[in-house]
C-alpha cells in the first residue's frame, strides 16, 4: 500500500503559505498613455491661442511697436514709466472702476428680485422668463441704438416722462455728470437677464419642504426670504458678483457706441479698454497700448483674487 502524496499548499496560496499579492491590471499602462493623448489637443490650442498671445503681448509692451512701421525696438520700461504718469490712464481706469461700482449692486439685487417674482408667480412664469431674459439676447449695437433714442432730448421717452411731471430735460449722453449713469442703466437693462437665470436655477434647487417647515413654525414671507432663501443662495450670489464685476470691468462696446466713439464729454465715459483702443488703433502706438492693457489685466486679476478670498473666508467662518 503506497503512502498518500504530500499535501501541497492550500488553494489561493503560494508555497510559503501566504496569499499572493494583487495582480496589476494589464490595461493600466494603456490608460496612463491615453490621458496625455486626450489632453494634448487642448494643450496645443491653449498654447497657440492663449499662452503665446499673452507672452507676445507682454513682449510688445517693452517695445516701441507702431502700426506705421514694420520694425520695432526694445525700449525696456519706458512704456510702463509713461503710463505711470499718464493722467488719461488714471481717468479711464477710475471710470471703469466707478462703472463697476454703479452697476454691480443693481445687477445682483434686481436679478434676485426678478427670480423670486418668477418663482412665486407660477401661472405666468413662462411670460416672465421670456420678458426678463429677452434683452440679453439682443446685440450690443441694437441695445445702444434703443437707449440712444430713449435718452434723446426733445422726444426721448425718459425726457418725456420728466417733462410730464414738471422736471426739465436732461442731456443724458451729452452731460459729463450723467453720461456714465445713463450707460450704466442701459447695461443693467441689457445684461440682468443672465444673472436672473442663475438665481432662478438656484431657487428651483431649494426643497419646498424647507419653506413648508418654516411656515409651520410661524415664519412669515419676509423671514423665510431672509432666513432661508438668502443664506441658501450664498454660493450663487458669490458667483454672480464675481462674474458681474469682471464683466463690468470689461466695459467698452456700449460706451463706445452710445457716445459715438468719443467717450462722452471730456472723456467722462471712456473706459480703460476705450483708451487702449484709441491709443493702439488711433494713436497707432501698439507698444504703449500693450503696456496699458497689461496694467488693466493685473487690475482684473487683483480684484478677482480679493473677492475670491473674501468669499472663501466667509464660507470658512460659516
Amino acid at each position: 500500500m503506497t503512502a498518500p502524496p504530500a499535501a501541497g499548499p492550500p488553494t489561493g496560496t503560494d508555497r510559503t503559505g501566504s496569499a499572493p499579492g494583487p495582480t496589476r491590471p494589464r490595461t493600466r499602462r494603456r490608460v496612463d498613455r491615453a490621458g496625455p493623448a486626450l489632453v494634448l489637443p487642448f494643450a496645443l490650442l491653449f498654447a497657440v491661442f492663449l499662452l503665446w498671445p499673452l507672452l507676445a503681448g507682454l513682449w510688445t509692451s517693452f517695445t516701441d511697436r507702431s502700426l506705421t512701421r514694420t520694425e520695432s525696438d526694445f525700449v525696456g520700461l519706458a512704456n510702463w514709466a509713461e503710463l505711470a504718469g499718464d493722467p488719461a490712464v488714471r481717468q479711464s481706469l477710475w471710470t471703469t472702476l466707478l462703472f463697476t461700482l454703479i452697476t454691480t449692486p443693481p445687477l445682483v439685487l434686481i436679478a434676485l428680485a426678478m427670480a423670486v417674482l418668477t418663482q412665486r408667480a407660477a401661472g405666468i412664469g413662462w411670460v416672465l422668463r421670456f420678458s426678463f431674459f429677452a434683452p440679453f439676447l439682443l446685440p450690443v449695437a441694437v441695445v445702444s441704438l434703443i437707449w440712444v433714442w430713449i435718452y434723446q432730448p426733445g422726444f426721448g421717452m425718459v425726457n418725456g416722462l420728466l417733462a410730464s411731471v414738471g422736471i426739465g430735460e436732461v442731456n443724458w449722453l451729452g452731460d459729463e455728470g450723467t453720461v456714465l449713469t445713463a450707460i450704466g442703466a442701459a447695461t443693467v437693462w441689457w445684461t440682468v437677464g443672465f444673472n436672473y437665470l442663475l438665481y432662478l436655477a438656484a431657487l428651483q434647487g431649494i426643497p419646498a419642504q424647507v419653506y413648508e417647515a418654516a411656515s409651520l413654525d410661524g415664519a412669515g414671507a419676509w423671514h423665510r426670504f431672509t432666513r432661508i432663501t438668502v443664506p441658501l443662495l450664498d454660493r450663487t450670489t458669490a458667483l454672480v458678483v464675481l462674474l458681474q464685476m469682471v464683466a463690468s470691468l470689461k466695459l467698452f462696446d456700449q460706451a463706445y457706441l452710445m457716445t459715438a466713439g468719443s467717450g462722452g464729454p471730456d472723456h467722462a465715459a471712456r473706459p480703460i479698454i476705450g483708451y487702449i483702443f484709441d491709443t493702439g488703433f488711433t494713436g497707432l502706438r501698439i507698444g504703449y497700448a500693450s503696456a496699458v492693457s497689461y496694467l488693466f489685466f493685473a487690475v482684473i486679476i487683483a480684484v478677482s483674487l480679493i473677492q475670491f478670498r473674501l468669499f472663501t473666508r466667509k464660507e470658512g467662518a460659516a
Side-chain angles (χ1 to χ4, degrees):
M1 186 173 181
T2 58
T11 303
T13 62
D14 56 16
R15 294 187 177 274
T16 61
S18 59
T23 303
R24 294 184 178 181
R26 296 181 179 178
T27 59
R28 181 174 179 180
R29 290 192 176 184
R30 293 183 180 178
V31 173
D32 290 344
R33 293 176 182 176
L38 292 173
V39 175
L40 184 60
F42 171 77
L44 291 176
L45 292 174
F46 177 82
V48 172
F49 293 103
L50 184 63
L51 186 59
W52 169 248
L54 281 174
L55 296 177
L58 183 61
W59 168 255
T60 304
S61 68
F62 296 105
T63 67
D64 62 348
R65 183 178 178 183
S66 173
L67 290 178
T68 59
R69 61 182 188 275
T70 57
E71 303 83 7
S72 60
D73 298 322
F74 180 77
V75 295
L77 298 176
N79 290 328
W80 295 86
E82 182 181 350
L83 71 86
D86 190 348
V89 172
R90 292 193 295 271
Q91 181 190 11
S92 57
L93 185 58
W94 167 246
T95 299
T96 304
L97 295 175
L98 182 59
F99 177 83
T100 303
L101 294 175
I102 290 174
T103 56
T104 299
L107 278 168
V108 174
L109 298 177
I110 295 175
L112 176 59
M114 293 192 308
V116 172
L117 177 61
T118 304
Q119 186 77 355
R120 294 185 177 181
I124 57 172
W126 67 273
V127 177
L128 296 179
R129 289 187 185 93
F130 174 78
S131 301
F132 292 154
F133 186 69
F136 185 72
L137 302 176
L138 297 176
V140 62
V142 175
V143 173
S144 300
L145 182 62
I146 290 173
W147 282 89
V148 165
W149 281 90
I150 289 176
Y151 287 134
Q152 280 293 327
F155 57 86
M157 185 181 70
V158 175
N159 281 316
L161 293 175
L162 293 178
S164 64
V165 295
I167 301 177
E169 291 187 351
V170 178
N171 189 6
W172 295 98
L173 298 176
D175 190 284
E176 182 179 349
T178 59
V179 59
L180 192 62
T181 303
I183 296 173
T187 304
V188 170
W189 177 83
W190 176 36
T191 61
V192 72
F194 180 75
N195 299 338
Y196 156 74
L197 279 189
L198 293 178
Y199 271 124
L200 184 61
L203 282 174
Q204 292 175 347
I206 299 177
Q209 294 83 351
V210 178
Y211 294 106
E212 294 174 1
S215 300
L216 293 176
D217 290 338
W222 177 249
H223 283 85
R224 292 197 301 269
F225 176 74
T226 55
R227 303 294 176 86
I228 297 177
T229 304
V230 174
L232 291 178
L233 293 178
D234 278 348
R235 292 180 178 273
T236 303
T237 300
L239 175 64
V240 168
V241 172
L242 177 62
L243 294 178
Q244 190 53 60
M245 289 186 66
V246 173
S248 296
L249 286 171
K250 295 188 296 183
L251 165 71
F252 173 68
D253 298 351
Q254 61 270 41
Y256 185 85
L257 293 173
M258 294 179 70
T259 60
S262 65
D266 197 23
H267 301 301
R270 183 175 67 178
I272 186 70
I273 297 181
Y275 181 66
I276 294 170
F277 178 83
D278 291 340
T279 303
F281 296 100
T282 303
L284 308 179
R285 299 183 61 193
I286 299 299
Y288 184 65
S290 298
V292 178
S293 66
Y294 274 84
L295 170 66
F296 180 51
F297 177 70
V299 171
I300 292 180
I301 295 297
V303 171
S304 301
L305 289 177
I306 291 173
Q307 185 182 11
F308 179 77
R309 288 294 300 272
L310 289 176
F311 280 109
T312 302
R313 284 185 182 180
K314 185 177 179 181
E315 289 185 358

